[in-house]
Amino acid sequence: MKKTPFILMFLALAAGLAAQVPQLVVPIGHTGIVTAAAFSPDGQQVLTGSWDGTAKLWDLRGREIKTFSGHTSGVSSVAFSANGQQVLTASFDNTVKLWSLSGGEPLTFKHTSHVNSAAFSPDGKTVLTGSGDGIARLWNVSGGAPKTLSGHDSEITSVAFSPDGQKVLTGSFDKTAKLWDLSGGAPQTFSGHFSVVSSVAFSPDGQKVLTGSWDGATKLWPVAGGNPQTFKGHAFQVRAVAFSPDGNKIGTGGGDGTVIWWDLSGRDSLSFSGHAVIISSIAFSPDGQKLLTGSFDKTAGMWSLSGQEMQRFRGHSFPISSVAWSPQGRQILAGSTDGMAKLWHLPGRDVQTFRGHDTLVWSVAFSPDGQQVLTASADSTAKLWNLSGRETQTFKGHRSTVYSAAFSPDGRQVLTASADSTAKLWNLSGREIQTFKGHASFVRSAVFSPDGRKVLTGSDDNTVKIWDANSGQCLMTFISLDTSEWVVTTPFGLFDASPGAMKLMYYTQGLEVIELGQLKERYYEPGLLSKLMGFSNEPLRSVAAFEAIALYPLIQLQLDSAKHQLRIALQARKGGMGKLSIFVNDKEIIEDALQ
């Protein structure tokens, strides 16, 4: 056995631990543009912020450890405190939030305008923020009114503390950066960019400042004054979902112009591209043999299930937001961002226009008997029309844009999906019957299953959910990682996934990552989607919803270089203590350290 210059010391601990509550993590990541990123002080974690309204903490293997949810709009900036125990998030919702990694409610700093940037002072006692009102603010983390720094002519885009914490730097839409001495006095102004100064930073010694601009240039400025050095050279979401008439397939349209139809019985699925930009709506023909798509390219398309284009419908001068087939498949309906809907006879004659919404129409649908038309709009309402173009009912209740509206198979109910992250079920007299809550972002599309017992929703959170129409309970969540890898989960903990997806999945408990293999046997349910949808007669296993879990021992290492000792402490967590081996440079040096 190879000798090591260190003495290995072992301490095995047994403790009555609190109930473990692991969370299954599916590697979706952010569902919007990532606007900010920062390393933790020890370099072992990464913090990101996104337009999806969240910040996420990751380890260096790219595994998501924790999500910070609480902003009502996109996150513009993120930062770690110097001790790595707190994080800062700034948002377009006019707030900055200070979070503890150990949990609990965040401390919120409220602005009068959106916040573009935030930073900690080196000692972690002060927070610096830059806002759309052109003012930088210094906040004491213990509370109290902020100190304001006014001088920019337009909104502040970026802020930074000097390494000694005695100065701050701000960049602005007014094409300048300003250096502020916190002891007082007028700020020093750096002028020379031809467009917005979008980023600012201090050099490690605090003697230089760096500015980046929308003019494509980066400039390095001496704090003591003088000419800058200039560096030049810088030159998707599920948007629509549909069931096939037989309920065996799901069609989805994406922001990348791609259509995917999925076979729920487990056979291969197909993806194809036909539109150059966002697909806003998708619908199967009544016979299930064709797909109709609407796009922001101002056209609607008819496709075979093999992906062959059969026909294009042109005539709208604005993006098409929704499409639908008549029950007999002889007419199509297209709604546009111009606030109008158009009815077309195949092969393409414009026969009727529906006007009445205050703004753009996002969705259109025929009633099952083909005698009524349903429209959904950015004015937060849905409307019911007869074929002569007369409005007969308005559905009011959503707090934001209604993206989708659909009839139940019997024509007696209406389903709507909204930017308020919910879907709603209504009767034809306009009374709200059920609200489906659970998505983390805009619900872009909602449809009934062919038997009317289930509801399918697609959201900007990159998930598809199936719900019980009567109870409003979420039955499953479907997550597509790409065209071949997928995950299905249930609210009570069961999951199924493609082999490639399972290689990426894991659990977290607090800030600890737990490998999927430790819990897979308990919660993995092959064929879960088919069982949930009734295509398989096999019953689902009954499992408790993530109750106390027996985990492998927690291993803690402490190196004492002076004594040439490596202390290894094992804390039992009800998962047993098996063989413990020691490896150095991937070579086993002790076969079983606990013997």
Side-chain angles (χ1 to χ4, degrees):
M1 178 183 295
K2 182 179 178 180
K3 295 183 178 180
T4 174
F6 289 98
I7 299 172
L8 302 175
M9 303 183 66
F10 300 94
L11 178 62
L13 305 174
L17 300 178
Q20 310 295 319
V21 188
Q23 301 293 319
L24 180 65
V25 178
V26 181
I28 298 177
H30 286 293
T31 58
I33 294 172
V34 176
T35 55
F39 270 106
S40 61
D42 63 6
Q44 298 305 302
Q45 295 171 327
V46 170
L47 182 67
T48 58
S50 169
W51 279 6
D52 64 11
T54 71
K56 292 180 182 289
L57 186 68
W58 313 77
D59 67 15
L60 295 186
R61 293 176 58 185
R63 299 181 299 188
E64 180 183 328
I65 300 171
K66 189 178 183 68
T67 297
F68 302 93
S69 301
H71 287 293
T72 58
S73 189
V75 173
S76 56
S77 180
V78 296
F80 276 97
S81 61
N83 63 9
Q85 299 305 303
Q86 295 174 306
V87 299
L88 199 61
T89 59
S91 173
F92 300 116
D93 66 4
N94 298 3
T95 70
V96 174
K97 292 183 182 290
L98 179 64
W99 312 77
S100 171
L101 294 189
S102 61
E105 290 297 313
L107 176 65
T108 300
F109 305 102
K110 295 183 179 180
H111 283 257
T112 58
S113 183
H114 58 277
V115 185
N116 291 319
S117 186
F120 277 104
S121 62
D123 63 7
K125 296 180 180 180
T126 306
V127 168
L128 173 66
T129 60
S131 175
D133 58 12
I135 299 173
R137 292 173 171 84
L138 291 157
W139 309 78
N140 190 308
V141 297
S142 300
K147 177 182 178 179
T148 60
L149 303 175
S150 302
H152 282 291
D153 296 331
S154 188
E155 67 179 87
I156 294 175
T157 58
S158 182
V159 297
F161 271 99
S162 62
D164 63 5
Q166 300 304 304
K167 297 181 177 67
V168 299
L169 187 63
T170 58
S172 171
F173 265 71
D174 65 10
K175 307 176 187 178
T176 72
K178 291 182 182 292
L179 181 66
W180 310 76
D181 192 317
L182 297 187
S183 62
Q188 180 179 350
T189 300
F190 302 97
S191 301
H193 284 290
F194 301 107
S195 188
V196 174
V197 175
S198 54
S199 182
V200 295
F202 280 95
S203 62
D205 62 5
Q207 299 305 304
K208 301 180 181 68
V209 299
L210 195 65
T211 58
S213 171
W214 288 3
D215 62 13
T218 301
K219 293 180 181 290
L220 184 66
W221 310 76
V223 168
N227 295 325
Q229 183 181 359
T230 302
F231 306 89
K232 279 196 160 184
H234 287 288
F236 269 105
Q237 305 167 339
V238 176
R239 301 301 295 260
V241 295
F243 269 109
S244 63
D246 61 8
N248 292 332
K249 299 180 182 67
I250 290 175
T252 61
D256 58 359
T258 299
V259 177
I260 303 175
W261 63 261
W262 312 83
D263 194 312
L264 296 182
S265 64
R267 292 188 293 272
D268 291 339
S269 299
L270 175 72
S271 66
F272 59 90
S273 299
H275 292 284
V277 292
I278 294 170
I279 292 177
S280 56
S281 182
I282 187 171
F284 281 92
S285 60
D287 62 7
Q289 299 305 303
K290 295 182 287 291
L291 283 169
L292 184 64
T293 56
S295 171
F296 278 23
D297 65 10
K298 306 175 187 177
T299 72
M302 185 190 302
W303 315 83
S304 69
L305 293 189
S306 64
Q308 180 182 0
E309 181 177 334
M310 303 174 68
Q311 189 172 344
R312 281 292 172 122
F313 301 91
R314 294 178 170 86
H316 277 290
S317 56
F318 287 84
I320 290 179
S321 51
S322 182
V323 293
W325 297 85
S326 65
Q328 297 77 27
R330 298 173 184 172
Q331 298 166 311
I332 67 163
L333 192 62
S336 171
T337 58
D338 58 11
M340 296 184 291
K342 290 181 181 293
L343 182 71
W344 310 76
H345 272 302
L346 296 182
R349 184 169 54 88
D350 185 0
V351 295
Q352 184 61 265
T353 299
F354 301 86
R355 296 179 174 89
H357 285 290
D358 295 334
T359 184
L360 64 91
V361 173
W362 277 109
S363 177
V364 293
F366 281 98
S367 61
D369 62 7
Q371 299 305 303
Q372 297 180 95
V373 167
L374 191 61
T375 58
S377 172
D379 64 11
S380 303
T381 72
K383 292 181 181 291
L384 189 66
W385 315 75
N386 61 27
L387 293 188
S388 64
R390 183 173 65 87
E391 179 185 331
T392 60
Q393 186 59 261
T394 299
F395 302 90
K396 297 181 179 180
H398 283 292
R399 294 180 289 105
S400 188
T401 297
V402 180
Y403 285 117
S404 172
F407 283 98
S408 60
D410 62 8
R412 297 178 180 177
Q413 294 175 322
V414 166
L415 182 65
T416 56
S418 171
D420 64 12
S421 302
T422 71
K424 291 181 181 290
L425 185 67
W426 317 75
N427 64 20
L428 295 187
S429 63
R431 182 174 64 87
E432 182 180 325
I433 301 172
Q434 187 67 260
T435 299
F436 304 93
K437 297 180 180 180
H439 281 294
S441 188
F442 297 174
V443 180
R444 296 282 183 173
S445 186
V447 294
F448 285 95
S449 61
D451 61 7
R453 296 179 180 178
K454 298 180 180 68
V455 166
L456 178 71
T457 58
S459 168
D460 276 12
D461 64 12
N462 279 16
T463 70
V464 173
K465 292 181 183 288
I466 295 181
W467 314 73
D468 183 281
N470 292 324
S471 67
Q473 177 187 3
C474 180
L475 301 177
M476 58 139 283
T477 299
F478 184 87
I479 305 164
S480 172
L481 303 185
D482 56 32
T483 57
S484 60
E485 306 298 343
W486 51 269
V487 181
V488 177
T489 66
T490 67
F492 44 91
L494 293 177
F495 79 90
D496 189 12
S498 62
M502 278 196 277
K503 293 179 181 178
L504 303 173
M505 294 163 59
Y506 52 92
Y507 288 87
T508 62
Q509 176 207 316
L511 300 180
E512 181 182 356
V513 174
I514 303 167
E515 299 300 334
L516 183 70
Q518 292 193 44
L519 301 176
K520 178 181 175 182
E521 183 177 351
R522 181 167 183 173
Y523 295 110
Y524 176 45
E525 184 80 0
L528 178 59
L529 182 59
S530 294
K531 295 174 185 178
L532 287 170
M533 296 303 296
F535 298 116
S536 171
N537 293 324
E538 288 187 51
L540 290 174
R541 287 182 297 141
S542 177
V543 295
F546 292 116
E547 295 176 351
I549 302 297
L551 299 176
Y552 294 166
L554 180 65
I555 301 176
Q556 295 178 318
L557 304 178
Q558 184 177 6
L559 178 64
D560 189 333
S561 299
K563 295 181 178 180
H564 298 283
Q565 291 181 345
L566 176 63
R567 176 180 289 267
I568 304 174
L570 302 180
Q571 184 176 12
R573 297 189 291 180
K574 302 181 181 180
M577 287 225 191
K579 174 183 175 182
L580 174 67
S581 297
I582 308 298
F583 291 79
V584 175
N585 295 329
D586 293 329
K587 183 176 181 179
E588 189 175 36
I589 62 170
I590 298 181
E591 182 179 355
D592 193 347
L594 291 182
Q595 285 185 348

